[in-house]
Amino acid sequence: MSSAARVLFLSLLLLLAVSPVASAAERWSLAPSGGGRPSFYGEGPAGTVLEDTVSVTNPSGAPVTVRLHGTGVTFEDGTVRVPARTRADVPFTVAVPTADRAVEIVARDTDGGERRVRVQLRVTVPELSALTVERVRVNGDRIAYELVNRGTTPIAPRLAVQADGVFGRVLDRAPRTLPVALPPGSRTELTEPWPDRPALDAVDVRLTVTAAGGVSDTAVASARFVPWGAVTGVAGVMAAAGAFFVVRHRRRRRTAFGGEPAGTGQPPQKEAELTGAGT
């Protein structure tokens, strides 16, 4: 056999060895229906059922049977037989989870060949603005409170403060934007300075919080202001004066009945007894 014949023979053997592998690799494919999409994408509120179609394409000269499955994915027909040079479009449904998630549709043929395509799911949350002001309390010369964002959107709150005492309003601050941004679901503790609070009064403190979108909430707390230092001093003077008058009153009573004031150190005099006998 000539050298040229040997080279041709070896080339034919190589082609025969490689051709079945290439044919198997290109036997069938899996992709989103419609073309142009490398993967699936869907969004909606949690629990929403989305519908789409996946295509199994068989360009080979022999039929192929594949089984389809995917986490959370329901197929109209989970087992598909695709004839030669044919495409099968398989409808499926998938529910949007409670959080963003990616799943896969997996197709496997009877020879163990496998194809995958990605399904990206995104949860959309309806915009809701809700805010509450809670745990209002007066601590010394500060008003403490908590703001809670109970909605699904960030909030820039505005605060107004009023306080009414026994004889009228003692604090009135117009609404102003607070230097905080409240993300959804957050709880933030803040304080409001009140350096000129009353020294003696009973007040009701009212905090009103507002935000864009008509959000508003109000909370009230009561407080009593008493100058305990002055009260303690007056009470001490009154107690001392009371003790002085009690001691003085007791001494006067003893003197009136012929006794000596307590604390003189001399024993009482004994009177002579009359027996009636003569001398």
Side-chain angles (χ1 to χ4, degrees):
M1 182 181 292
S2 65
S3 297
R6 289 178 180 176
V7 171
L8 178 60
F9 178 73
L10 292 174
S11 299
L12 290 173
L13 288 178
L14 182 61
L15 288 173
L16 290 173
V18 173
S19 293
V21 176
S23 176
E26 298 174 356
R27 188 177 177 188
W28 61 277
S29 63
L30 182 72
S33 297
R37 293 186 295 170
S39 62
F40 292 99
Y41 175 84
E43 65 178 33
T48 301
V49 177
L50 305 177
E51 299 179 355
D52 212 322
T53 305
V54 65
S55 296
V56 182
T57 303
N58 179 16
S60 71
V64 62
T65 299
V66 299
R67 292 176 60 86
L68 300 165
H69 66 89
T71 303
V73 183
T74 302
F75 299 93
E76 188 174 284
D77 189 352
T79 302
V80 182
R81 185 179 186 275
V82 187
R85 292 176 291 279
T86 304
R87 186 188 72 201
D89 295 331
V90 184
F92 69 90
T93 59
V94 61
V96 178
T98 56
D100 294 354
R101 184 182 179 187
V103 299
E104 286 186 321
I105 293 177
V106 181
R108 183 176 292 109
D109 64 19
T110 55
D111 296 330
E114 185 178 280
R115 311 286 187 273
R116 295 170 179 265
V117 63
R118 181 185 177 90
V119 181
Q120 179 67 49
L121 301 172
R122 180 176 180 272
V123 183
T124 58
V125 181
E127 291 190 358
L128 172 65
S129 297
L131 175 68
T132 58
V133 54
E134 303 175 3
R135 290 176 51 80
V136 179
R137 56 211 182 274
V138 179
N139 295 330
D141 60 353
R142 305 190 74 84
I143 303 171
Y145 61 99
E146 294 180 6
L147 297 181
V148 185
N149 185 345
R150 300 190 178 277
T152 60
T153 60
I155 288 180
R158 292 172 58 83
L159 175 69
V161 184
Q162 290 86 33
D164 294 314
V166 175
F167 300 105
R169 183 150 296 181
V170 295
L171 179 63
D172 191 358
R173 294 179 183 171
R176 75 181 194 284
T177 301
L178 297 176
V180 295
L182 304 178
S186 66
R187 176 184 291 271
T188 303
E189 183 172 354
L190 301 169
T191 60
E192 184 76 5
W194 193 7
D196 56 346
R197 64 180 180 83
L200 178 62
D201 206 344
V203 301
D204 291 326
V205 179
R206 177 180 292 99
L207 270 59
T208 302
V209 180
T210 58
V215 176
S216 178
D217 191 42
T218 299
V220 179
S222 297
R224 302 293 181 266
F225 298 111
V226 178
W228 291 112
V231 171
T232 303
V234 172
V237 172
M238 293 180 64
F244 172 78
F245 285 115
V246 168
V247 171
R248 185 175 181 181
H249 179 67
R250 288 180 178 176
R251 289 179 176 177
R252 287 179 176 177
R253 291 187 60 187
R254 289 177 181 174
T255 302
F257 284 97
E260 292 294 333
T264 59
Q266 298 191 16
Q269 298 293 327
K270 185 176 180 181
E271 297 180 357
E273 183 178 357
L274 300 177
T275 62
T279 56

